[in-house]
Amino acid sequence: RSELRCAVFFVSGNHEAWIGGKEMDGLGLTSSLQKLDAVRGACRSLGVHTSNRLLGADFVSPVWVTPIDSWYDGTLTLPGCEDLTADFGRWPWVDFLKCDWGPSFRPDPSDVGNGKIPMGLTEHILERNTASIDEVR
């Protein structure tokens, strides 16, 4: 790896936020945020980058790699495709079954259009990303 000057990065996806099952229960992970932090810790222990890194600083066109998290914000619509999300509240979407963001981020059951989106979670994740984003500006 060092002779090739390579870097391995990890960016979490939706499946990394899934909790439950024997493996997760055995690790004592009770929220998706805990699991994301644990996965990042495991990556760091293996030398996998989970935060900003400038690549190619010795070259004419260096590039920043900035792994950030994201989650559904309730705007899951595309103009002209409203029929695809008309029954969003009834979708058995596994992400909404396998993720638990903790007591601070619960869905708003009164939101009949997107009643599965945890209130405040998108803002919280943006807050977690802000330092990384600011560093590369």
Side-chain angles (χ1 to χ4, degrees), residues 95-115:
D95 287 344
F96 297 113
L97 301 173
K98 294 286 226 173
C99 295
D100 185 338
W101 299 101
S104 298
F105 305 106
R106 294 291 180 217
D108 180 2
S110 68
D111 182 351
V112 293
N114 290 314

Side-chain angles (χ1 to χ4, degrees), residues 74-85:
T75 60
L76 188 61
T77 58
L78 299 170
C81 298
E82 290 80 6
D83 61 316
L84 297 176
T85 58

Side-chain angles (χ1 to χ4, degrees), residues 2 13 40 45-46 48 51 60 65 76 87 90 96 100 112 121 128 131 134 136:
S2 62
R40 271 198 278 302
S45 74
L46 296 169
V48 175
S51 59
V60 175
V65 176
L76 188 61
D87 62 350
R90 293 181 303 192
F96 297 113
D100 185 338
V112 293
L121 179 62
R128 286 170 54 121
D134 289 346
V136 299

Side-chain angles (χ1 to χ4, degrees), residues 39-135:
V39 168
R40 271 198 278 302
C43 287
R44 284 190 299 271
S45 74
L46 296 169
V48 175
H49 300 285
T50 61
S51 59
N52 298 336
R53 185 168 173 111
L54 181 63
L55 300 178
D58 300 338
F59 299 102
V60 175
S61 301
V63 63
W64 279 99
V65 176
T66 305
I68 59 172
D69 291 328
S70 65
W71 198 252
Y72 309 102
D73 67 355
T75 60
L76 188 61
T77 58
L78 299 170
C81 298
E82 290 80 6
D83 61 316
L84 297 176
T85 58
D87 62 350
F88 183 79
R90 293 181 303 192
W91 285 6
W93 208 336
V94 176
D95 287 344
F96 297 113
L97 301 173
K98 294 286 226 173
C99 295
D100 185 338
W101 299 101
S104 298
F105 305 106
R106 294 291 180 217
D108 180 2
S110 68
D111 182 351
V112 293
N114 290 314
K116 295 180 180 183
I117 306 293
M119 295 182 300
L121 179 62
T122 303
E123 295 79 5
H124 177 74
I125 289 175
L126 176 59
E127 230 174 80
R128 286 170 54 121
N129 292 331
T130 299
S132 293
I133 294 167
D134 289 346
E135 183 181 334

